[in-house]
Amino acid sequence: MPILSDPRNSHIEALLVAAEEGTLNKLPFLQYLNEIEDIWKIREAGGYLFYCTIVLLAHHRTAFPAEAQEILTKLAHELIEDARRVRAARFFFDVRGYLKAIVVLRLLAQEDSEQDFEDAANEWIFFEWGYGAHLTDRHELLCALALLLCLDSAPPRLAISLFQRLLRLDDQLADTDSLSSSLEPFRKCLAEPPHARYKLFLNLGLQEQLPALISPSPSLAIPCFGGSVVRRERTQYGTLQTASREPFVTGWLDSTLPPVICWKDDSLAGKFAPVASIGQHQPTSPFQTFALQRGADVLALRIYEYERWPRETIRDVWDVYDSYARAYCLSHTDAVLEQFEDSQAKGIQLSIERYQDDTHLVIFLWAISLEGEIEGVPVVTPARVIPSVPRRKGEEAWDIDWELPGGLWKVRVDPLAKEPLRKR
């Protein structure tokens, strides 16, 4: 849901404006505050609502009548208690949750969490933001850091550095991010109508902390956890973005980052379907993805662990908008490749319908291109590898030659190797 389409968000914004202008008596503020309290009780509060609420509690509580102050004080107490539990757990990989907890403790509880922030910040810098928060939760992180920079009398030492690093990354990704989601560039959300959802930060003095705007680079490599790299390349045929390995943290499925996504003519051209093979209750695909990118072509290895996600039918889907794709199943000769199109979507699907539990890995290899049709099929031969560990069926290694529009690819697929997909 877009941030400003929820009336509760416009209510909290209206309360902020009225508190600053001294016109609270013109609003049904008790009704608005009760709505905010209800949201927190069921833990739905997010992004914009959270940050506006923090500003209200930290700076404008005394502007409200006594009855309203009681609601605000109770809300602040609940936020502080929850933040203390988050801080005590020290689960730094939940970057968004931990950073919001630090904001609450420093601005509402007036607690010195300098060391807590520094410990977490060093982890985020060293491990490149854990599960990929700098890519999927960037606006949330920028807002939290902006609150510390604007409202904290002595912001944590590393807050400005983290804020500027994230904002420069947002500047680089702004042109393509806005095409694949409703998220506008952070700078645009600060001041440009009708996107100025974060204008409150400028009112609090954030302008002084903004680094100079740098034009997006045609080629970008973004370091991520564990040596993974997200690459984005602009070509004459369109723009491709791939993750060398996704998810970055093994077993972490709560990521909305597409492992491969492409754009053409300012429109989304293709991506892997975010929910595949295990039903609608799982937020993301159970596949591990390894991708190589060259020009306007991509090879993507998709590994499905049947023992972790047992299911009779296993499917993988590439949503086609304006791109070309072809897939091959290395582990099962009975996999079916088919195209589909209906009123809702158009795509290419690779599936195994009646899966027999004879192997614990399902190995799909996808070729994706923005340049043109993929007419050839891969030439697959068993690879000679040192059998350092016993290999079960589905764990074999293969050497593959595949002619794509941009040229011939020579790769090795070895699901037990440190790099399951690599050039040779």
Side-chain angles (χ1 to χ4, degrees), residues 110-121:
Q110 302 299 312
E111 292 184 8
D112 181 12
S113 302
E114 174 75 31
Q115 192 59 53
D116 298 302
F117 181 89
E118 186 134 336
D119 291 345

Side-chain angles (χ1 to χ4, degrees), residues 93 121-132 134 223-227:
F93 270 36
N122 285 324
E123 290 265 335
W124 298 334
I125 293 170
F126 185 79
F127 290 111
E128 300 293 352
W129 299 100
Y131 63 83
H134 59 324
C224 299
F225 177 79

